[in-house]
Amino acid sequence: MLSSLFSAYPSFLVFLGFIVATALTMALMPAWIRLLTRTHIGQQVRADGPQSHLVKQGTPTMGGVIMLIAIVITVLLVVPPSWGFVAALLATLCTAALGLFDDAEKVIHERSLGLTPKGKLIGQFAIATLFTLYVVNWLGIAPTVQIPFLQPWDFGVLTTSIPCPICPDGSLDIPWLYLVFCYLLIIGMSNAVNLTDGLDGLAAGTVMVVMIVMAAIAYRENMLPMAVFAATMAGACVGFLWFNAYPADIFMGDTGSLALGSALACIAIITKTEVFSLIIGGLFVAEACSVILQVVHYKRTKKRLFLMAPLHHHFEKKGWSETKVVIRFWIVSGALAGFGFVLFFIQPIVMGMVA
């Protein structure tokens, strides 16, 4: 009965994943907050950050643990079997484990910095490598990148094949250019969402919007498992927002933010919307670029380009309230996500007219 219902109304699965993940996150989070409060596991605030953030010292963190639990339970119940979905889920969970270790380092040593940047990058590098080689060799994902309104660029022109008895054709193809591109996308987006997670409700709200659009794209491309997976991520963010809205009762920590960014990149690679994801998740790109520009500009001139990086702290320093920054960033994120979806939707129409 249920299987016939799901096959007749696949969109129902997408909404079901969203609702179940929301409900599970909201149901499990209160007990997790009480446990973290009793064990004094709380956020370590940057000493050089905005003074208004000092009151957040000790607020329970690692809310991403419950988000990931809710996501895993939901997708196991709802998502139709798919190796692409399994690859994306495993990459997300591995990145979450890396973030959990980072959060634990902060709590144990009572500092705002956990793993060293080098240690974090090594872990992300390994995850990105395994995921990319798997989707290219086992799932047949083409090492090409679609530039809006242009012909796809072939990033597999530099490809090395080595004997591998467990690969489908007995050899492991390593498309070096595409591999490097996926490094930048997965590692960059993971860290970009992590940088965005600096204000109450900011990362959860913006990721929610972006994941809803990615779910729509996956559904449009007849990739139902990926659509449900993205919708489940959005649902977990909605459930988490109930507790993360200003003033936050809990933070998601690196456990959540690194995993959500990695999931976004993995969905983009499987749905072949890598460049579109940079537009849809443009707010995360802007946050990451603000940090890079700040560092480069300061090294060259010994002056700060922004009052403080990432970008959301710059506006706080200008006198915007935290809630004003968050809501306006939600609006910007929604506009970028909508613009990216429109480009994705009209591209085949425009290309067909040109041809």
Side-chain angles (χ1 to χ4, degrees), residues 169-236:
D169 61 355
S171 63
L172 179 68
D173 290 332
I174 307 176
W176 294 104
L177 288 180
Y178 188 65
L179 192 60
V180 171
F181 177 82
C182 290
Y183 287 156
L184 296 175
L185 183 63
I186 295 174
I187 296 173
M189 194 62 75
S190 181
N191 288 316
V193 175
N194 181 238
L195 290 170
T196 305
D197 185 30
L199 300 179
D200 297 354
L202 180 56
T206 50
V207 171
M208 172 196 67
V209 173
V210 168
M211 284 299 181
I212 288 174
V213 172
M214 294 304 294
I217 287 176
Y219 188 81
R220 174 70 173 75
E221 293 295 287
N222 296 316
M223 296 182 179
L224 183 59
M226 300 310 300
V228 179
F229 182 49
T232 301
M233 291 275 178

Side-chain angles (χ1 to χ4, degrees), residues 26-309:
M26 294 186 69
L28 298 174
M29 195 65 72
W32 182 242
I33 293 174
R34 289 193 296 270
L35 175 63
L36 294 174
T37 301
R38 285 199 303 268
T39 53
H40 304 290
I41 296 178
Q43 178 73 16
Q44 302 300 314
V45 178
R46 287 173 56 180
D48 61 341
Q51 293 300 302
S52 59
H53 287 208
L54 295 179
V55 297
K56 302 181 181 186
Q57 180 76 21
T59 301
T61 186
M62 292 190 284
V65 171
I66 297 300
M67 296 176 69
L68 268 296
I69 290 174
I71 289 167
V72 170
I73 293 174
T74 302
V75 295
L76 291 179
L77 291 173
V78 177
V79 176
S82 162
W83 286 114
F85 148 71
V86 171
L89 178 62
L90 288 177
T92 301
L93 292 177
C94 287
T95 312
L98 184 67
L100 181 62
F101 187 76
D102 190 36
D103 286 333
E105 283 283 299
K106 295 176 184 177
V107 172
I108 292 171
H109 296 100
E110 297 184 348
R111 60 188 183 188
S112 61
L113 297 176
L115 288 174
T116 63
K118 182 179 179 180
K120 190 182 296 185
L121 282 174
I122 290 174
Q124 292 173 319
F125 180 86
I127 294 167
T129 300
L130 292 174
F131 174 80
T132 305
L133 292 181
Y134 176 80
V135 298
V136 169
N137 287 275
W138 277 269
L139 301 184
I141 298 295
T144 58
V145 175
Q146 176 65 59
I147 309 297
F149 307 111
L150 295 175
Q151 292 299 319
W153 288 15
D154 186 2
F155 275 66
V157 289
L158 294 180
T159 302
T160 302
S161 294
I162 59 176
C164 180
I166 63 174
C167 286
D169 61 355
S171 63
L172 179 68
D173 290 332
I174 307 176
W176 294 104
L177 288 180
Y178 188 65
L179 192 60
V180 171
F181 177 82
C182 290
Y183 287 156
L184 296 175
L185 183 63
I186 295 174
I187 296 173
M189 194 62 75
S190 181
N191 288 316
V193 175
N194 181 238
L195 290 170
T196 305
D197 185 30
L199 300 179
D200 297 354
L202 180 56
T206 50
V207 171
M208 172 196 67
V209 173
V210 168
M211 284 299 181
I212 288 174
V213 172
M214 294 304 294
I217 287 176
Y219 188 81
R220 174 70 173 75
E221 293 295 287
N222 296 316
M223 296 182 179
L224 183 59
M226 300 310 300
V228 179
F229 182 49
T232 301
M233 291 275 178
C237 287
V238 171
F240 179 71
L241 265 175
W242 183 266
F243 306 95
N244 188 235
Y246 181 85
D249 299 318
I250 189 170
F251 303 130
M252 70 170 65
D254 289 1
T255 309
S257 58
L258 289 177
L260 292 173
S262 177
L264 172 58
C266 291
I267 294 171
I269 290 170
I270 292 177
T271 57
K272 300 308 297 175
T273 54
E274 298 96 335
V275 175
F276 291 99
S277 72
L278 297 178
I279 301 171
I280 294 167
L283 181 71
F284 309 134
V285 176
E287 291 272 38
C289 287
S290 70
V291 175
I292 296 171
L293 290 173
Q294 182 86 316
V295 172
V296 172
H297 189 267
Y298 186 79
K299 286 184 176 180
R300 290 174 61 90
T301 66
K302 301 303 178 182
K303 296 180 180 179
R304 297 182 186 276
L305 184 62
F306 302 101
L307 296 178
M308 185 177 178

Side-chain angles (χ1 to χ4, degrees), residues 6 14 24 26 34 76 78 158 286 302 320-321 324 328:
F6 293 160
V14 180
L24 280 175
M26 294 186 69
R34 289 193 296 270
L76 291 179
V78 177
L158 294 180
K302 301 303 178 182
W320 291 17
S321 67
K324 178 176 285 190
R328 287 183 173 176

